[in-house]
Amino acid sequence: MRYLIGNWKSNENNTQTKLWLETFKNNQPPSKIDLSTIVCMPFTNLAEANRYVAEFNLPIQIGAQDVSAFPSGSHTGGITAGMLSELIGFCLVGHSERRQELGEDSDMVTSKAKILLESSITPIVCIDEPYLEEQVKSLYTGKVAIEKCLFAYEPLLAIGSGKPAVPDDVERVAAKINFLTDSVCPVIYGGSVGEANITSFASLPNISGVLVGTNSLDPKTFVKLMSCV
Ligand code: PGA
């Protein structure tokens, strides 16, 4: 299976989401059976997006960008995996922006991955080299079913910078992730992926797809990327 995953971050309200999905519908390429196209969007858009995906019969799965590390109960503001399970099949965890801005660490990411799997949601675990081994070790120690996760290698300097990583480096780190995890889960690359460079990452032997931030906000660009994964 190949993966094209969009990460809208803190962008797009419900009106903009409907417009994005309508534009996608009017421009979509013929569907590819072995391509999983996932769009991770803000919590507030998930229900509406699901409605339109069904109504327009789009080859897209909706994902979230985070989940509470806690179960349901007295945790003000938390969106639990149980709540999300009616809406999504995939969820990002441990994006470096959350590590930097909110102090999330590997053990918290492990808790989130575990709680997602208990609700049958696939965690997309974001990792970078400085904490790659620590994160994998934490997942094993936390008894997370790693074979049910996806790993997204996202080098910090490549995110949102317009300066993607060097494909040889991506292949080296992806091979390391596969070595540490016995190659039981797909590894994708994220960081300034666009039309000009997507093939250089998607064609790497240890890479199963890409995670796209900025270039997922334009549905016409996103549709073009679908043909290149
Ligand atoms: P970018 O973001 O494509 O804008 O670099 C990727 C990400 O942070 O997931």
Side-chain angles (χ1 to χ4, degrees):
M1 180 59 75
R2 310 293 298 168
Y3 295 89
L4 174 64
I5 305 181
N7 175 14
W8 286 2
K9 309 191 181 186
S10 290
N11 294 294
E12 315 299 39
N13 59 23
N14 272 315
T15 309
Q16 292 162 325
T17 299
K18 185 180 179 208
L19 199 60
W20 192 101
L21 292 168
E22 277 171 345
T23 311
F24 179 95
K25 173 177 156 245
N26 294 332
N27 290 276
Q28 64 177 302
S31 62
K32 285 162 93 180
I33 288 165
D34 66 339
L35 177 65
S36 191
T37 304
I38 301 155
V39 182
C40 298
M41 51 182 72
F43 291 134
T44 44
N45 306 5
L46 299 177
E48 283 282 272
N50 266 305
R51 206 161 61 74
Y52 290 121
V53 164
E55 186 182 322
F56 301 157
N57 194 22
L58 302 179
I60 288 180
Q61 290 164 281
I62 303 298
Q65 302 171 8
D66 185 44
V67 65
S68 171
F70 300 103
S72 56
S74 302
H75 309 288
T76 302
I79 306 285
T80 67
M83 296 170 191
L84 292 175
S85 65
E86 289 186 333
L87 299 164
I88 56 161
F90 294 85
C91 183
L92 297 172
V93 281
H95 192 284
S96 59
E97 285 155 10
R98 299 193 64 84
R99 282 184 176 258
Q100 278 190 317
E101 294 170 356
L102 299 159
E104 289 195 4
D105 62 15
S106 296
D107 287 343
M108 184 180 283
V109 173
T110 291
S111 302
K112 292 183 174 192
K114 197 164 183 168
I115 217 158
L116 284 170
L117 286 169
E118 284 163 6
S119 286
S120 302
I121 299 169
T122 301
I124 304 164
V125 182
C126 301
I127 34 184
D128 191 6
E129 257 192 305
Y131 48 85
L132 166 55
E133 294 188 19
E134 176 192 279
Q135 181 64 75
V136 173
K137 191 171 166 211
S138 168
L139 291 164
Y140 275 120
T141 308
K143 300 202 181 341
V144 171
I146 286 198
E147 70 281 5
K148 293 185 179 156
C149 298
L150 243 91
F151 280 97
Y153 168 49
E154 295 213 301
L156 193 58
L157 294 179
I159 296 177
S161 64
K163 294 185 183 129
V166 175
D168 281 354
D169 288 340
V170 173
E171 175 60 8
R172 176 181 55 76
V173 177
K176 186 170 175 185
I177 297 170
N178 276 328
F179 173 74
L180 292 172
T181 59
D182 283 334
S183 302
V184 289
C185 48
V187 180
I188 63 174
Y189 165 75
S192 298
V193 173
E195 282 178 76
N197 59 35
I198 184 168
T199 315
S200 63
F201 298 111
S203 61
L204 294 170
N206 279 283
I207 288 290
S208 299
V210 290
L211 176 53
V212 184
T214 310
N215 283 310
S216 68
L217 292 172
D218 176 357
K220 290 188 183 165
T221 303
F222 194 67
V223 160
K224 286 188 194 147
L225 298 180
M226 283 175 79
S227 325
C228 309
V229 186

